[in-house]
Amino acid sequence: MRSVERAAHWERPGVRAVLGAASAALSLLLLLQVMLHWRDDLSAKWPITAPVLQASCQVLGCKVSPPRALERIVLDQSQLTRTAYPETLRFTADLHNTANHAVRLPALELLFSDSNGQTLVRKVILPEDLKPVPAAIDADGVWHVDTLLKVGSLKVASFSTELFYP
């Protein structure tokens, strides 16, 4: 008898309405959470969503940035040359964005080696360490990096460059 009464309770129109409203509200909250989590990718791939995402972020205290897309950034060239300044080398590189939208600037890791191939030092260059720094690498754009590096008395024979997002 109790199980029949319990089952009938869930069939009432008022209870069904409350359950439906709760389900709709929770679905909307889930959609909002997914949108905010993937806000950078959504705003880049579907620019029409950018104003909604930016307005949401103003309320929630987050920021819409260009997305990370390391697989779409190609290191076209990198070069290390001596300068007129003592114990200083010039590092230049061109990073090409092959995506059809702007991407976030990566950091660069330089490994300096001696003539025996032994690593002498590892240097990380963050985008904000370089001036002027663009907001992003534009679609099919190139970011030219040019900076002076103090190496002291290290006898640098070779180097390698890696890109990463901190």
Side-chain angles (χ1 to χ4, degrees):
M1 186 89 157
R2 285 186 185 177
S3 64
V4 171
E5 288 175 0
R6 223 177 282 152
H9 173 73
W10 296 108
E11 297 297 326
R12 292 171 154 169
V15 173
R16 288 286 195 183
V18 169
L19 289 174
S23 177
L26 290 173
S27 296
L28 186 62
L29 285 173
L30 179 61
L31 178 64
L32 178 63
Q33 185 177 4
V34 168
M35 284 179 59
L36 289 176
H37 180 74
W38 297 103
R39 65 186 176 271
D40 297 339
D41 293 314
L42 287 172
S43 68
K45 292 178 181 160
W46 293 289
I48 197 164
T49 63
V52 173
L53 293 168
Q54 288 171 346
S56 299
C57 277
Q58 283 181 339
V59 172
L60 298 172
C62 58
K63 181 180 170 187
V64 178
S65 302
R68 295 176 180 207
L70 201 55
E71 71 281 357
R72 302 307 304 243
I73 300 174
V74 176
L75 181 63
D76 282 343
Q77 67 85 20
S78 62
Q79 187 175 10
L80 196 63
T81 56
R82 302 231 180 263
T83 66
Y85 306 108
E87 303 177 343
T88 303
L89 300 174
R90 174 172 298 242
F91 173 74
T92 58
D94 288 332
L95 283 69
H96 179 217
N97 174 15
T98 61
N100 60 359
H101 55 80
V103 299
R104 192 176 305 180
L105 299 173
L108 295 100
E109 178 188 57
L110 301 176
L111 288 175
F112 298 118
S113 303
D114 63 12
S115 58
N116 296 325
Q118 297 296 316
T119 300
L120 297 172
V121 71
R122 173 183 172 257
K123 170 76 175 159
V124 172
I125 302 172
L126 300 173
E128 55 268 15
D129 294 341
L130 303 168
K131 302 291 186 234
V133 59
I137 305 175
D138 292 330
D140 199 36
V142 175
W143 179 35
H144 181 72
V145 176
D146 188 351
T147 188
L148 296 176
L149 302 170
K150 298 275 186 193
V151 293
S153 61
L154 295 175
K155 303 293 183 206
V156 177
S158 64
F159 75 101
S160 65
T161 307
E162 294 290 330
L163 306 177
F164 70 99
Y165 287 113

